[in-house]
Amino acid sequence: AQKVTQAQTEISVVEKEDVTLDCVYETRDTTYYLFWYKQPPSGELVFLIRRNSFDEQNEISGRYSWNFQKSTSSFNFTITASQVVDSAVYFCALSEESDSWGKLQFGAGTQVVVTP
Amino acid sequence: NAGVMQNPRHLVRRRGQEARLRCSPMKGHSHVYWYRQLPEEGLKFMVYLQKENIIDESGMPKERFSAEFPKEGPSILRIQQVVRGDSAAYFCASSPAGGGAKEDEQYFGPGTRLTVT
């Protein structure tokens, strides 16, 4: 069963618009980690953030922000004032204490297309 | 500070041949993970290794696939008798620690694109 759901397959925005990527996860563990990775057209995977299940504080890093809500099992990602360089596929992932920790379970990804 | 290295970046094999993919973790990292990304799909976990040990191979196909991380040298993902369905991008990641430790963030290599003709 899919443990990480990224319902949005593709989002297209015009430069300077904000874009929010949804991530819903499923776990029975109380201790787990959530991640976001960026995969630009060049293909590499760029680590963006890791958040543990006990830290529900929202985080902001430049134009990026993350909203973690355990009550809805969501870890959403917002890009503010998007730029063309933000065009990429973004993956949300889950790592569980009960499942060898090192096993990242990825969502299907959301393609973000930013046009000038 | 070199990142995770993978080679080759592109590999073409004919059906029935063997493919050997190499991964050198970041300096100081003793945990290695392999993932596969099929065309137009997300990444799927294959195997998690520490030096000389396989920790979790729950994502590895039962046949033709094997992985190792020897005491010296890179981690190797080996695919015997490749078939067209093996065509994918294979990513390696490494972390300095595992087990949910604060330092177990996984950093990915650039991937190896395997094409089976």
Side-chain angles (χ1 to χ4, degrees), chain A residues 2 33 35 37 39 42-47 50 91 95 99-109, chain B residues 33 35 37 41-45 48 56 58 91 99-110 113:
Chain A
Q2 189 75 10
Y33 285 94
F35 302 77
Y37 285 87
Q39 187 174 41
S42 51
E44 73 272 22
L45 280 159
V46 179
F47 170 83
R50 184 181 79 153
F91 291 99
S95 171
D99 197 6
S100 80
W101 273 127
K103 179 179 176 180
L104 288 183
Q105 300 171 78
F106 284 84
Chain B
Y33 317 81
Y35 295 83
Q37 185 176 31
E41 292 189 16
L43 288 89
K44 303 293 185 188
F45 169 82
Y48 165 24
D56 183 345
S58 58
F91 288 92
K102 184 179 179 182
E103 299 80 18
D104 76 349
E105 294 167 358
Q106 292 186 25
Y107 292 89
F108 281 77
R113 270 80 182 165

Side-chain angles (χ1 to χ4, degrees), chain B residues 20 30 51 57 61 66 70-71 76 86 102 105:
Chain B
R20 292 173 72 89
S30 59
K51 287 283 188 181
E57 57 181 348
S66 63
K71 189 176 180 181
I76 306 286
D86 296 333
K102 184 179 179 182
E105 294 167 358

Side-chain angles (χ1 to χ4, degrees), chain A residues 46-59:
Chain A
V46 179
F47 170 83
L48 295 178
I49 190 171
R50 184 181 79 153
R51 174 55 53 85
N52 78 55
S53 53
F54 298 107
D55 182 3
E56 283 192 78
Q57 270 194 324
N58 291 332
E59 181 153 343

